């Protein structure tokens, strides 16, 4: 106490005002080193012509990489379009499947083995992505893959095909695998949201003569809207930057039919070693996601607040 | 008294850690990055034993063995190398050498090799792969040419008592063998976008037309083929896949796993393949005795892909002398004879000439085609490989004619070479 009094007043005020922030330093240091620095470095790199094979020939090129990306690169726009379709289709079907399975698991009709069923639904999500994707790759093999064998057993051999080599089917197949892998996350999260809705609301609605659709529309859906917004935003980001599923299944082929921006970035960085150009692809992804997620929040957060 | 005992304890801790660090400092650990996985290869089991033996014979050196797949190894070497670190000893595919030299992640060992008295036991063709611009960056370890691997029983059933020797014969045999047993196709090949094995099959076909991928003239690299020559290659693929329907219709985009499995399962009668197929002997069962190897069918020339794998020293290694000691030991005659005995082929001539290698029926056709063997040109090949496979897929999916694909391949190569020449 005596010692405290000896300290100058300005120091005591300063210490009191800033002391909470000291505790943030470890967090800022880690986030700064692992997130901010690589991000800033990547953005800076995107203004350079830099190829790992020619270390002495780095050159500042301003926006030339972006000009090439947006106006000259024949593969960029198809990859961007694929990324958007992949993201929208994946998130949409994941949400519908997750919502459906969550409602089913929350239903009073499913009483037996509820926990076991919840565990089983979660399985695709807990298996590591690499294992998942490689399993699917083998299951989708044309001749001795499990999927085609199953189709043949059920007399549907005529629709058996090379799912990952057929130009028309490869993209839907990749989306399907991604949906299968990700929907359990929606199930679990929505299920948690459902359990928070008070039972009395349902009882009151049924007494007032509401049908099932009305109950879902006016009680269930508003009850899970907050949770839905969060998981949809998270999955838009995760799916748009998803690399491993497509890379392990098709490598972006055949004929770039499943090429998305992350696989294109990887190809530029690790096959051609054009790290400057790859950084411009990465920066584009980053900016696109900032705008998309910002737009999504500005549109839907108001609905959330209304509630 | 209490203070004294605390001080004494701290002193003891300090002395103990000092002693430990001195002991530790005397022992060095060599980081070895390669692909030799004892779980999948008998040769890798032998190699693992040899690593332990090296440690026993060299008490001050420990080996930390990191096993990766080829694609992971390539990626990790690039990332680590660019960041200024990496292994002490690294395993490389021959075509990686130019890239890694340009990136500055592999050590120039020319002087060490030139004074090494065992250099003479490695053929010049293998040293050529380890060399970039007259400097040597590694020691050849495995030298494995490709053969036409075929099922003798299928061919006999279709009325052929010898394998095809020319492209025309290949077309005929592949077509006739297709369907000789239900579900069997005459030929299979790789055409994956990942471009690992595909280019190793494509380039020999191009060489067989009398062409090269690139030629060096006045210090500049130029395309080594004409549109007609590339068109011939694309036309062969197109004939086998689309016109003659001699390949599994869903095989477009196959990578090595699918190809190797299709042959093991007896789904295809012929393919270009390497000595590692012996790994599947057990899985193939009875049919293995019908597996035969022969020279790749010729066009104007005879050529095959000579895959040379190289082991080098990491540029950022702190223990280059120890790494060299390890390399020259593991690639010495006795050691190489052990770790290339089964599914690999040795790079050393004095190992090849050992009776157990000469009398090995499986290895014989591979040794026989060594004179036809050629390796990738000494330029970075990643972009070229992707371009080859992209155009090949366009032909197989009938998005382009062979002539159109040949034209765009040549145009793409010219663009790639512009960057390399700069």
């Amino acid at each position: 106490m005596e010692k405290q009094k000896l300290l100058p007043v300005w120091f005591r005020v300063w210490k009191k005002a800033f002391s909470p922030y000291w505790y943030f330093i470890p967090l800022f240091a880690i986030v700064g080193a692992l997130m901010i620095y690589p991000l800033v470095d990547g953005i800076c790199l995107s203004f350079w012509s830099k190829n790992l094979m020619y270390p002495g020939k780095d050159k500042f090129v301003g926006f030339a990489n972006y000009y090439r990306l947006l106006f000259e690169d024949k593969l960029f726009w198809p990859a961007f379009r694929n990324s958007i379709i992949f993201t929208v289709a994946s998130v949409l079907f994941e949400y519908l499947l997750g919502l459906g399975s969550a409602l089913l698991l929350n239903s009073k009709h499913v009483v037996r083995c509820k926990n076991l069923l919840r565990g089983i639904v979660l399985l695709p999500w807990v298996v590591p992505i690499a294992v998942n994707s490689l399993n699917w790759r083998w299951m989708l093999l044309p001749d001795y893959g499990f999927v085609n064998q199953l189709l043949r057993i059920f007399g549907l051999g005529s629709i058996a095909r090379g799912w990952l080599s057929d130009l028309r089917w490869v993209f839907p197949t990749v989306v399907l695998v991604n949906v299968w892998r990700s929907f359990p996350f929606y199930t679990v999260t929505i299920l948690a949201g459902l359990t928070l809705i008070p039972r009395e609301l349902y009882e009151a609605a049924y007494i007032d003569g509401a049908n099932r659709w009305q109950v879902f529309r006016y009680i269930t859906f508003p009850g899970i809207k907050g949770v839905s917004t969060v998981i949809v935003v998270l999955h838009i980001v995760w799916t748009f930057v998803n690399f491993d599923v497509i890379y392990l299944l098709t490598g972006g082929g055949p004929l770039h039919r499943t090429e998305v921006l992350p696989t294109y970035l990887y190809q530029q960085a690790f096959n051609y070693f054009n790290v400057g150009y790859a950084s411009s692809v990465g920066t584009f992804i980053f900016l696109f996601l900032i705008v998309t997620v910002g737009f999504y929040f500005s549109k839907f957060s108001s609905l959330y607040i209304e509630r | 008294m209490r203070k004294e005992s605390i001080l004494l304890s701290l002193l003891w801790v300090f002395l103990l850690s000092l002693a430990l660090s001195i002991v530790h400092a005397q022992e060095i650990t060599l980081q070895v990055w390669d692909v030799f996985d004892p779980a999948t290869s008998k040769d890798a089991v032998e190699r693992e034993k040899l690593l332990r033996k090296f440690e026993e014979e060299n008490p001050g050196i420990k080996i930390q063995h990191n096993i990766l797949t080829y694609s992971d190894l390539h990626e990790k070497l690039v990332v680590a190398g660019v960041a200024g670190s990496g292994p002490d000893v690294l395993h490389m595919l021959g075509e990686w050498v130019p890239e890694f030299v340009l990136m500055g992640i592999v050590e120039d060992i020319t002087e060490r090799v030139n004074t090494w008295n065992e250099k003479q036991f490695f053929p010049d063709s293998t040293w050529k792969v380890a060399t970039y611009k007259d400097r040597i960056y590694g020691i050849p370890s495995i030298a494995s040419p490709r053969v036409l691997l075929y099922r003798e029983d299928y061919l006999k059933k279709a009325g052929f008592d010898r394998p095809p020797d020319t492209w025309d014969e290949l077309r005929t045999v592949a077509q006739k063998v297709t369907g000789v047993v239900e579900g069997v196709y005459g030929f299979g090949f790789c055409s994956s976008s990942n471009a690992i094995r595909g280019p190793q099959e494509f380039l020999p076909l191009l060489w067989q037309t009398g062409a090269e991928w690139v030629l060096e003239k006045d210090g500049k690299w130029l395309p080594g083929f004409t549109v007609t020559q590339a068109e011939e290659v694309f036309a062969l693929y197109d004939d086998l896949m689309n016109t003659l329907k001699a390949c599994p219709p869903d095989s477009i985009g196959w990578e090595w796993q699918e190809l190797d499995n299709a042959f093991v399962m007896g789904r295809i009668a012929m393919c270009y393949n390497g000595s590692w197929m012996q790994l599947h002997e057990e899985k193939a069962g009875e049919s293995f005795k019908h597996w035969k190897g022969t020279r790749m069918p010729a066009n104007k020339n005879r050529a095959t892909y000579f895959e040379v794998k190289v082991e080098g020293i990491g540029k950022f290694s702190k223990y280059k002398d120890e790494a060299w000691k390890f390399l020259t030991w593991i690639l010495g005659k006795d050691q190489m004879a052990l770790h290339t005995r089964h599914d690999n082929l040795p790079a050393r001539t004095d190992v090849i000439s050992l009776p157990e290698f000469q009398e090995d029926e499986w290895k014989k056709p591979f040794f026989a085609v060594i004179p036809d063997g050629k390796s990738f040109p000494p330029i970075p090949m990643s972009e070229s490989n992707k371009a080859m496979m992209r155009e090949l897929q366009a032909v197989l999916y009938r998005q382009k004619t062979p002539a159109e694909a040949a034209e765009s391949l040549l145009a793409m190569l010219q663009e790639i070479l512009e960057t390399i020449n700069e």
Side-chain angles (χ1 to χ4, degrees), chain B residues 3 13 15 32 65 68 77 84-85 132 138 145 159 166 189 218 225 231-232 267 303 325 329 332 344 365 371 399:
Chain B
K3 267 187 183 173
V13 170
L15 285 173
V32 177
H65 187 200
L68 300 146
L77 285 170
S85 63
Y132 184 73
T166 63
F189 57 85
D218 304 327
F225 61 90
E231 186 187 347
E232 259 189 278
R267 196 182 170 215
K325 186 179 183 183
W329 184 82
N344 288 311
Q399 309 270 316

Side-chain angles (χ1 to χ4, degrees), chain B residues 38-97:
Chain B
T40 57
S41 151
K42 285 181 188 171
D43 282 342
V45 173
E46 291 302 326
R47 198 177 156 105
E48 199 63 39
K49 285 182 200 162
L50 288 168
L51 298 187
R52 303 289 82 86
K53 194 177 172 199
F54 179 80
E55 285 177 334
E56 279 167 26
E57 287 178 12
N58 298 273
I61 306 175
K62 285 268 166 230
I63 303 285
Q64 190 166 344
H65 187 200
N66 294 293
I67 306 161
L68 300 146
T69 61
Y70 272 110
S71 51
D72 285 347
L73 178 64
H74 182 261
E75 190 182 305
K76 283 196 187 331
L77 285 170
V78 170
V79 173
V82 170
S85 63
D88 299 291
V89 175
L90 61 151
H91 177 83
M92 295 176 276
L93 286 181
E95 59 258 37
W96 296 353
V97 173

Side-chain angles (χ1 to χ4, degrees), chain B residues 270-391:
Chain B
M270 295 183 285
C271 63
Y272 297 133
N273 226 314
S275 62
W276 56 81
M277 287 299 280
Q278 198 183 22
L279 285 171
H280 302 293
E281 184 176 352
E282 227 169 90
K283 220 195 296 178
E286 271 296 290
S287 71
F288 186 76
K289 65 172 186 257
H290 303 296
W291 291 19
K292 302 286 172 207
T294 189
R295 304 168 95 179
M296 282 174 87
N299 187 353
K300 290 182 186 66
N301 281 351
R302 208 171 268 286
T304 190
Y305 175 59
F306 191 34
E307 184 168 55
V308 179
K309 293 168 183 175
V310 174
E311 311 222 4
I313 298 175
K315 184 86 175 174
F316 306 103
S317 168
K318 285 183 208 155
Y319 310 116
K320 289 185 176 122
D321 290 336
E322 290 79 3
W324 173 252
K325 186 179 183 183
F326 169 74
L327 270 185
T328 48
W329 184 82
I330 196 90
L331 301 176
K333 184 185 175 189
D334 296 341
Q335 285 69 246
M336 192 180 278
L338 288 170
H339 66 78
T340 57
R341 179 69 192 88
H342 299 99
D343 40 283
N344 288 311
L345 292 175
R348 291 179 69 116
T349 49
D350 52 351
V351 176
I352 295 174
S353 58
L354 289 170
E356 62 266 36
F357 282 82
Q358 285 297 310
E359 287 156 18
D360 186 325
E361 287 301 319
W362 173 256
K363 292 191 193 302
K364 269 183 188 171
F366 292 95
F367 291 140
V369 300
I370 286 177
D372 301 339
K374 283 176 83 162
S375 298
F376 279 16
I379 59 165
M381 284 296 287
S382 294
E383 272 190 270
S384 298
N385 291 345
K386 285 268 180 190
M388 272 178 233
M389 290 302 102
R390 192 156 57 232
E391 293 311 307

Side-chain angles (χ1 to χ4, degrees), chain A residues 109-122:
Chain A
H109 303 297
V110 182
V111 182
R112 285 184 184 174
C113 314
K114 212 168 215 175
N115 288 334
L116 179 72
L117 286 174
R118 284 178 188 184
I120 290 171
V121 166
L122 207 60

